[in-house]
Amino acid sequence: MKKLTTLFVAIIAVALVAFKPVAPSTFKVDAGKSKIEWTGKKVTGQHTGTIKLASGEVIVNGKVPTGGKFTIDMTSMDNTDLQGGGKDKLMGHLKSDDFFGTEKFPTSTFTATKIAPAGANKVNVTGNLTIKGKTAAITFPATYTLAGNTLTVVASDVKVDRTVYDIRYGSKSFFESIGDKAIDNDFLLNITLVANK
């Protein structure tokens, strides 16, 4: 009986150790290695470019991302498909009040409100995106890899409706007679986050 009691206590002790909650870890975003690529489409074609992250962090519980918040440097917005005067004209317009108003709103933010597992190394991310002082919820799928103390999260073709943030320039939703000068309401983001523990 004594041996059984000792065995039972040992089993309980092992079980408690095995199921001991793991404290969440914070991974700081490496802004130099992370990147955001954007695509904006219009009737006559599309433009592409980049935006840099200013800072951010991802909360990891065990090996799964469970939270995060990020600050995006809107003044770093750049174009990658044009050169010279055409590029300067486009970037001047995108940074103006017609679009992102980067002088008044130099940063945008994203705060995850829910990250749900969606298969092996996959999650569905929901959070609040703030652009030009206006906040709206978005949801998108992402994949992640954890190698040692480095976490990489990738999200492709994240769709953002600019009109939700009161960016209406060239939108057919608000200017019906705009014809071939119309610009899509949605722009796409390809996001690669690299964060270290």
Side-chain angles (χ1 to χ4, degrees), residues 119-141:
N121 295 100
K122 296 180 181 179
V123 288
N124 286 323
V125 181
T126 298
N128 293 322
L129 177 63
T130 300
I131 300 174
K132 292 186 78 171
K134 298 186 182 301
T135 302
I138 62 171
T139 299
F140 55 88

Side-chain angles (χ1 to χ4, degrees), residues 43-100:
V43 172
T44 55
Q46 67 178 38
H47 291 298
T48 57
T50 59
I51 318 172
K52 295 179 181 178
L53 278 168
S55 62
E57 62 182 33
V58 182
I59 307 302
V60 176
N61 200 337
K63 293 185 177 181
V64 182
T66 57
K69 55 184 179 180
F70 313 94
T71 299
I72 302 158
D73 179 5
M74 298 302 291
T75 66
S76 72
M77 189 185 309
D78 198 9
N79 167 261
T80 55
D81 67 282
L82 296 176
Q83 293 181 348
K87 176 176 179 174
D88 293 341
K89 183 178 179 180
L90 174 65
M91 292 316 303
H93 200 190
L94 288 178
K95 292 183 177 183
S96 75
D97 290 340
D98 279 346
F99 285 93
F100 296 98

Side-chain angles (χ1 to χ4, degrees), residues 34-47:
S34 301
K35 65 179 180 178
I36 302 174
E37 299 168 328
W38 58 265
T39 300
K41 298 182 179 182
K42 55 183 181 177
V43 172
T44 55
Q46 67 178 38
H47 291 298

